[in-house]
Amino acid sequence: MRAALFPGSFDPLHNGHLEIVEMAARTFDRVVVAPLHNSRKGVPLFTLQERAGMIADAVAHLDNVGVAAGEGLAVDLAREVGADVIVKGLRVASDFEHELQMAQMNEALAGVVTLFLPCASTSSFISSSLIRDIVRLGGAGRVASMVPPPVAKRLAEVAL
Ligand code: PNS
């Protein structure tokens, strides 16, 4: 039985992420989506627990997908949930350099292999950081179609 961990900031999860979750769910027996801290990112919009709750709602239609938020290393969480593979989505070429470095580090730390899945060209322009900026500037309604409905609902609430 092959299980994969899909770690990310997911602040918030958007349609590009959901496509990767759905692709991974078709490829692996079990997938665990894990919102984690990224020390390179600024002030978060949502707590890890809030992100985990929104992700759980957004993936409820997928039987073999679960959610696990964590404070520590992605490779330790992978081991905890029984995943021997990490999956990450790639949008554009500029994603690759840092993703490659993290993949190599995770392999060196714990022998965990990373597989990259391509996101659809229709969502390659969507990023959580742009969504956060737009929401903070009052545009939550204008990004609602770029995120799953449970996330759009929460974005509208934080924008109030
Ligand atoms: O969506 P992101 O921000 O590109 O995801 C990056 C993330 C959260 C997967 C990465 O920062 C991470 O793995 N954080 C957990 C701590 C960790 O394992 N750091 C070492 C990474 S090599």
PDB file of all heavy atoms in Angstrom, residues 9-22:
ATOM      1  N   SER A   9       2.271  25.040   2.700  1.00  0.00           N
ATOM      2  CA  SER A   9       1.769  26.071   3.626  1.00  0.00           C
ATOM      3  C   SER A   9       0.244  26.112   3.565  1.00  0.00           C
ATOM      4  O   SER A   9      -0.416  26.315   4.583  1.00  0.00           O
ATOM      5  CB  SER A   9       2.313  27.451   3.252  1.00  0.00           C
ATOM      6  OG  SER A   9       3.702  27.426   3.208  1.00  0.00           O
ATOM      7  N   PHE A  10      -0.298  26.012   2.364  1.00  0.00           N
ATOM      8  CA  PHE A  10      -1.756  25.997   2.163  1.00  0.00           C
ATOM      9  C   PHE A  10      -2.443  27.138   2.915  1.00  0.00           C
ATOM     10  O   PHE A  10      -3.428  26.918   3.629  1.00  0.00           O
ATOM     11  CB  PHE A  10      -2.358  24.646   2.572  1.00  0.00           C
ATOM     12  CG  PHE A  10      -1.742  23.465   1.882  1.00  0.00           C
ATOM     13  CD1 PHE A  10      -1.251  22.390   2.616  1.00  0.00           C
ATOM     14  CD2 PHE A  10      -1.650  23.412   0.498  1.00  0.00           C
ATOM     15  CE1 PHE A  10      -0.677  21.296   1.979  1.00  0.00           C
ATOM     16  CE2 PHE A  10      -1.073  22.320  -0.150  1.00  0.00           C
ATOM     17  CZ  PHE A  10      -0.592  21.267   0.603  1.00  0.00           C
ATOM     18  N   ASP A  11      -1.914  28.336   2.776  1.00  0.00           N
ATOM     19  CA  ASP A  11      -2.452  29.495   3.520  1.00  0.00           C
ATOM     20  C   ASP A  11      -2.994  30.540   2.547  1.00  0.00           C
ATOM     21  O   ASP A  11      -2.399  31.610   2.402  1.00  0.00           O
ATOM     22  CB  ASP A  11      -1.340  30.082   4.394  1.00  0.00           C
ATOM     23  CG  ASP A  11      -1.858  31.191   5.303  1.00  0.00           C
ATOM     24  OD1 ASP A  11      -3.024  31.117   5.723  1.00  0.00           O
ATOM     25  OD2 ASP A  11      -1.088  32.141   5.577  1.00  0.00           O
ATOM     26  N   PRO A  12      -4.132  30.239   1.884  1.00  0.00           N
ATOM     27  CA  PRO A  12      -4.978  29.068   2.031  1.00  0.00           C
ATOM     28  C   PRO A  12      -4.782  28.082   0.869  1.00  0.00           C
ATOM     29  O   PRO A  12      -4.113  28.380  -0.119  1.00  0.00           O
ATOM     30  CB  PRO A  12      -6.382  29.680   1.932  1.00  0.00           C
ATOM     31  CG  PRO A  12      -6.197  30.738   0.877  1.00  0.00           C
ATOM     32  CD  PRO A  12      -4.805  31.288   1.084  1.00  0.00           C
ATOM     33  N   LEU A  13      -5.423  26.890   1.012  1.00  0.00           N
ATOM     34  CA  LEU A  13      -5.494  25.931  -0.100  1.00  0.00           C
ATOM     35  C   LEU A  13      -6.239  26.580  -1.265  1.00  0.00           C
ATOM     36  O   LEU A  13      -7.253  27.256  -1.044  1.00  0.00           O
ATOM     37  CB  LEU A  13      -6.286  24.700   0.366  1.00  0.00           C
ATOM     38  CG  LEU A  13      -6.390  23.540  -0.629  1.00  0.00           C
ATOM     39  CD1 LEU A  13      -5.235  22.556  -0.401  1.00  0.00           C
ATOM     40  CD2 LEU A  13      -7.716  22.791  -0.485  1.00  0.00           C
ATOM     41  N   HIS A  14      -5.736  26.410  -2.497  1.00  0.00           N
ATOM     42  CA  HIS A  14      -6.449  26.952  -3.665  1.00  0.00           C
ATOM     43  C   HIS A  14      -6.701  25.834  -4.689  1.00  0.00           C
ATOM     44  O   HIS A  14      -6.320  24.679  -4.453  1.00  0.00           O
ATOM     45  CB  HIS A  14      -5.706  28.152  -4.268  1.00  0.00           C
ATOM     46  CG  HIS A  14      -4.286  27.871  -4.677  1.00  0.00           C
ATOM     47  ND1 HIS A  14      -3.957  26.986  -5.674  1.00  0.00           N
ATOM     48  CD2 HIS A  14      -3.101  28.373  -4.215  1.00  0.00           C
ATOM     49  CE1 HIS A  14      -2.650  26.958  -5.824  1.00  0.00           C
ATOM     50  NE2 HIS A  14      -2.097  27.783  -4.932  1.00  0.00           N
ATOM     51  N   ASN A  15      -7.336  26.204  -5.806  1.00  0.00           N
ATOM     52  CA  ASN A  15      -7.743  25.183  -6.783  1.00  0.00           C
ATOM     53  C   ASN A  15      -6.553  24.424  -7.373  1.00  0.00           C
ATOM     54  O   ASN A  15      -6.669  23.242  -7.709  1.00  0.00           O
ATOM     55  CB  ASN A  15      -8.549  25.821  -7.914  1.00  0.00           C
ATOM     56  CG  ASN A  15      -9.919  26.266  -7.445  1.00  0.00           C
ATOM     57  OD1 ASN A  15     -10.344  25.894  -6.348  1.00  0.00           O
ATOM     58  ND2 ASN A  15     -10.611  27.066  -8.245  1.00  0.00           N
ATOM     59  N   GLY A  16      -5.413  25.097  -7.514  1.00  0.00           N
ATOM     60  CA  GLY A  16      -4.219  24.423  -8.033  1.00  0.00           C
ATOM     61  C   GLY A  16      -3.774  23.321  -7.076  1.00  0.00           C
ATOM     62  O   GLY A  16      -3.396  22.221  -7.501  1.00  0.00           O
ATOM     63  N   HIS A  17      -3.819  23.614  -5.765  1.00  0.00           N
ATOM     64  CA  HIS A  17      -3.481  22.584  -4.773  1.00  0.00           C
ATOM     65  C   HIS A  17      -4.463  21.415  -4.860  1.00  0.00           C
ATOM     66  O   HIS A  17      -4.075  20.253  -4.799  1.00  0.00           O
ATOM     67  CB  HIS A  17      -3.567  23.148  -3.343  1.00  0.00           C
ATOM     68  CG  HIS A  17      -2.565  24.189  -3.004  1.00  0.00           C
ATOM     69  ND1 HIS A  17      -2.909  25.356  -2.358  1.00  0.00           N
ATOM     70  CD2 HIS A  17      -1.225  24.247  -3.197  1.00  0.00           C
ATOM     71  CE1 HIS A  17      -1.825  26.088  -2.164  1.00  0.00           C
ATOM     72  NE2 HIS A  17      -0.790  25.435  -2.666  1.00  0.00           N
ATOM     73  N   LEU A  18      -5.763  21.766  -4.978  1.00  0.00           N
ATOM     74  CA  LEU A  18      -6.789  20.707  -4.989  1.00  0.00           C
ATOM     75  C   LEU A  18      -6.589  19.775  -6.185  1.00  0.00           C
ATOM     76  O   LEU A  18      -6.758  18.559  -6.074  1.00  0.00           O
ATOM     77  CB  LEU A  18      -8.192  21.333  -4.996  1.00  0.00           C
ATOM     78  CG  LEU A  18      -9.345  20.351  -4.804  1.00  0.00           C
ATOM     79  CD1 LEU A  18      -9.207  19.545  -3.512  1.00  0.00           C
ATOM     80  CD2 LEU A  18     -10.683  21.093  -4.809  1.00  0.00           C
ATOM     81  N   GLU A  19      -6.187  20.346  -7.324  1.00  0.00           N
ATOM     82  CA  GLU A  19      -5.913  19.496  -8.493  1.00  0.00           C
ATOM     83  C   GLU A  19      -4.786  18.498  -8.193  1.00  0.00           C
ATOM     84  O   GLU A  19      -4.846  17.339  -8.608  1.00  0.00           O
ATOM     85  CB  GLU A  19      -5.472  20.366  -9.680  1.00  0.00           C
ATOM     86  CG  GLU A  19      -6.608  21.121 -10.328  1.00  0.00           C
ATOM     87  CD  GLU A  19      -6.080  22.216 -11.257  1.00  0.00           C
ATOM     88  OE1 GLU A  19      -4.849  22.288 -11.483  1.00  0.00           O
ATOM     89  OE2 GLU A  19      -6.911  22.983 -11.724  1.00  0.00           O
ATOM     90  N   ILE A  20      -3.778  18.976  -7.475  1.00  0.00           N
ATOM     91  CA  ILE A  20      -2.659  18.078  -7.134  1.00  0.00           C
ATOM     92  C   ILE A  20      -3.133  16.990  -6.168  1.00  0.00           C
ATOM     93  O   ILE A  20      -2.770  15.817  -6.297  1.00  0.00           O
ATOM     94  CB  ILE A  20      -1.478  18.881  -6.509  1.00  0.00           C
ATOM     95  CG1 ILE A  20      -0.954  19.935  -7.502  1.00  0.00           C
ATOM     96  CG2 ILE A  20      -0.364  17.951  -6.038  1.00  0.00           C
ATOM     97  CD1 ILE A  20      -0.349  19.371  -8.771  1.00  0.00           C
ATOM     98  N   VAL A  21      -3.982  17.371  -5.196  1.00  0.00           N
ATOM     99  CA  VAL A  21      -4.520  16.368  -4.262  1.00  0.00           C
ATOM    100  C   VAL A  21      -5.294  15.307  -5.045  1.00  0.00           C
ATOM    101  O   VAL A  21      -5.138  14.099  -4.811  1.00  0.00           O
ATOM    102  CB  VAL A  21      -5.462  17.021  -3.214  1.00  0.00           C
ATOM    103  CG1 VAL A  21      -6.065  15.950  -2.303  1.00  0.00           C
ATOM    104  CG2 VAL A  21      -4.735  18.064  -2.386  1.00  0.00           C
ATOM    105  N   GLU A  22      -6.112  15.753  -5.996  1.00  0.00           N
ATOM    106  CA  GLU A  22      -6.944  14.797  -6.762  1.00  0.00           C
ATOM    107  C   GLU A  22      -6.057  13.883  -7.622  1.00  0.00           C
ATOM    108  O   GLU A  22      -6.305  12.687  -7.738  1.00  0.00           O
ATOM    109  CB  GLU A  22      -7.976  15.562  -7.608  1.00  0.00           C
ATOM    110  CG  GLU A  22      -9.074  16.149  -6.723  1.00  0.00           C
ATOM    111  CD  GLU A  22      -9.997  17.138  -7.428  1.00  0.00           C
ATOM    112  OE1 GLU A  22      -9.641  17.606  -8.532  1.00  0.00           O
ATOM    113  OE2 GLU A  22     -11.061  17.446  -6.851  1.00  0.00           O
TER     114      GLU A  22
END
